[in-house]
């Protein structure tokens, strides 16, 4: 797998799965970018609701994965997501 870091992703929508994973539909430079997360937990191991990222600009570190013929960035931990202070 190829690791990647992408900055300046605007989170447009969040789709949650029953298993706690989420797909974030994002946009960067007017191009669509899909981010897939594992269930997210903060530093104190408390669950993080991915919907809290909706409308925010984030930077992510993850791996490029193919899913149903499309590429997405797979993020395995909340610490791999940084919410931008510049909205």
């Amino acid at each position: 797998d190829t690791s990647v870091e992408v900055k300046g992703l605007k989170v447009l929508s969040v789709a949650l799965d029953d298993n706690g994973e989420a797909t974030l539909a994002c946009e960067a430079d007017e191009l669509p970018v899909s981010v897939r997360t594992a269930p997210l937990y903060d530093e104190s191991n408390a669950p993080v609701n991915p919907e809290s990222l909706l409308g925010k600009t984030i930077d992510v570190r993850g791996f490029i994965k193919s899913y149903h013929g499309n590429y997405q960035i797979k993020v395995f931990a909340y610490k791999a997501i940084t919410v931008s202070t510049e909205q």
Side-chain angles (χ1 to χ4, degrees):
D1 294 334
T2 301
S3 64
V4 65
E5 181 173 359
V6 180
K7 298 185 179 211
L9 296 174
K10 176 79 172 178
V11 181
L12 303 176
S13 68
V14 178
L16 298 172
D17 288 352
D18 292 338
N19 61 3
E21 295 187 353
T23 301
L24 311 178
C26 303
E27 186 178 77
D29 296 325
E30 299 183 15
L31 297 173
V33 178
S34 179
V35 177
R36 179 78 176 167
T37 73
L40 300 175
Y41 299 91
D42 67 13
E43 310 79 40
S44 61
N45 209 31
V48 174
N49 183 346
E51 290 179 326
S52 67
L53 300 171
L54 186 60
K56 302 218 164 109
T57 300
I58 60 173
D59 302 336
V60 298
R61 292 177 310 283
F63 296 89
I64 299 293
K65 298 278 190 180
S66 178
Y67 181 74
H68 291 298
N70 293 308
Y71 287 104
Q72 60 185 11
I73 301 168
K74 178 70 176 185
V75 175
F76 292 97
Y78 185 62
K79 66 182 180 182
I81 300 172
T82 304
V83 177
S84 176
T85 56
E86 299 175 17
Q87 298 294 322

